[in-house]
Amino acid sequence: MSLREKVIIVTGGSSGIGEACSRHLAQLGARVVIASNQRESGEALAADLRAGGRNVQFVYTDVAQEESVQALMRRTVELHGRIDGVHCNAGVWAQGKVTDFNEAVWNKVMNVNVKSVFWTAKHVLPVMERQGKGVIVITTSVAAFVGFPAHALYCASKAALESLIRSLAVDHAGWLRVAGVCPGTIDTPMLAATCAGWDKPVQELYADVARRIPVRRLGQPIDIAHAVAFLLGDEAGYINGTSIVLDGGTLALPPW
Ligand SMILES: NC(=O)c1ccc[n+]([C@@H]2O[C@H](COP(=O)([O-])OP(=O)(O)OC[C@H]3O[C@@H](n4cnc5c(N)ncnc54)[C@H](O)[C@@H]3O)[C@@H](O)[C@H]2O)c1
């Protein structure tokens, strides 16, 4: 496999989609650095994967803080001498229309979902340029393309990432590849959190949603991990400045 021995950072790599990516990339032989703000579960996941013979480290990181992201890149280079790929996956969700938000919530969502990717790119690009090669994969969302009711801030943050994918690919052409994974409805702790306050148990809500998705099931984190591994590898060498949609056909549905 082309990912063997590659050094790959997964932000938000200790839960949901990121956890599946950390596990899958490690199984493919990559040297994985899990970067998240969940110290306990991140360290436990890294230890579990190391016990299975994989090369995995956890580095506590707050992706919204530039110094923390810079320290993550420094630590990864100390550990492995290079950085072949970064999966910018950490994210948070907030519900509401524009009239519902205050500046604190706006800052939180934009800082974690968008500013984090600026800092990550800013501090990993010099390393990748020195190597002459690198790949950044960014988790966006179908929310970038449709106006989910009462999700204005989350939708805007994910649309910003779709745009950033194009800018990065153009500005650092020749040695950087940038691609997005654009998930639909994926069975993770974040999805469970979105169900709080509904009048039905989570499993019933999931079944209702699954019936409407053309593949008739929710996505699983491993569905995204397979695409992330592909995009990070040399087999995806001609995919740049764009995203792969993994939504079971949701965006293909007619709007009525
Ligand atoms: N679950 C879905 O249906 C879905 C759909 C589309 C896109 N996404 C996106 O996928 C990504 C992963 O989401 P998930 O569903 O696995 O959710 P999750 O809540 O299980 O995981 C989110 C991860 O981000 C990390 N994180 C949050 N704030 C951070 C910070 N400040 N610094 C470092 N790490 C931080 C958390 O520690 C966690 O590991 C997110 O970007 C989310 O927006 C999810």
Side-chain angles (χ1 to χ4, degrees), residues 60-75 111-112 114-124 126:
Y60 179 88
T61 310
D62 179 351
V63 291
Q65 302 293 328
E66 183 170 9
E67 319 82 70
S68 186
V69 172
Q70 196 170 9
L72 165 68
M73 301 310 164
R74 237 187 346 257
R75 181 74 188 125
N111 287 352
V112 176
V114 184
K115 198 158 79 170
S116 66
V117 183
F118 271 74
W119 299 149
T120 301
K122 176 178 169 185
H123 293 291
V124 80

Side-chain angles (χ1 to χ4, degrees), residues 5-248:
E5 296 301 321
K6 292 273 169 73
V7 178
I8 296 167
I9 296 170
V10 183
T11 75
S14 49
S15 174
I17 291 170
E19 176 180 349
C21 292
S22 299
R23 288 185 182 281
H24 186 56
L25 295 168
Q27 272 152 18
L28 292 174
R31 292 178 275 172
V32 175
V33 175
I34 299 171
S36 86
N37 61 354
Q38 295 169 308
R39 195 184 293 281
E40 214 171 299
S41 52
E43 277 172 353
L45 176 60
D48 181 40
L49 289 166
R50 279 198 302 274
R54 309 301 173 188
N55 189 337
V56 180
Q57 313 291 329
F58 172 75
V59 178
Y60 179 88
T61 310
D62 179 351
V63 291
Q65 302 293 328
E66 183 170 9
E67 319 82 70
S68 186
V69 172
Q70 196 170 9
L72 165 68
M73 301 310 164
R74 237 187 346 257
R75 181 74 188 125
T76 305
V77 171
E78 269 167 24
L79 284 167
H80 298 298
R82 58 184 295 114
I83 304 172
D84 297 293
V86 183
H87 178 197
C88 299
N89 168 77
V92 289
W93 164 88
Q95 194 170 19
K97 304 177 187 181
V98 289
T99 43
D100 297 322
F101 294 116
N102 58 33
E103 195 166 354
V105 181
W106 196 94
N107 283 340
K108 165 130 197 192
V109 172
M110 285 298 186
N111 287 352
V112 176
N113 291 7
V114 184
K115 198 158 79 170
S116 66
V117 183
F118 271 74
W119 299 149
T120 301
K122 176 178 169 185
H123 293 291
V124 80
L125 288 175
V127 180
M128 291 178 167
E129 189 171 20
R130 272 197 301 281
Q131 295 166 181
K133 194 172 175 182
V135 185
I136 297 177
V137 174
I138 300 173
T139 304
T140 72
S141 170
V142 291
F145 300 108
V146 293
F148 275 120
H151 277 78
L153 183 52
Y154 183 76
C155 289
S157 75
K158 292 299 182 176
L161 295 180
E162 286 290 334
S163 170
L164 189 55
I165 287 166
R166 294 188 286 270
S167 295
L168 287 169
V170 167
D171 285 344
H172 308 281
W175 47 270
L176 180 71
R177 245 182 352 98
V178 190
V181 282
C182 179
T185 310
I186 314 298
D187 184 1
T188 70
M190 183 186 283
L191 184 68
T194 68
C195 296
W198 286 69
D199 54 355
K200 278 189 188 173
V202 168
Q203 290 311 323
E204 269 182 53
L205 286 169
Y206 283 7
D208 287 350
V209 174
R211 268 192 289 277
R212 292 203 296 272
I213 297 171
V215 298
R216 303 284 184 257
R217 67 170 176 87
L218 298 190
Q220 292 301 317
I222 189 67
D223 292 317
I224 313 304
H226 285 142
V228 169
F230 171 66
L231 289 171
L232 286 166
D234 292 339
E235 295 86 350
Y238 211 61
I239 299 177
N240 192 23
T242 190
S243 295
I244 293 185
V245 176
L246 298 123
D247 70 346

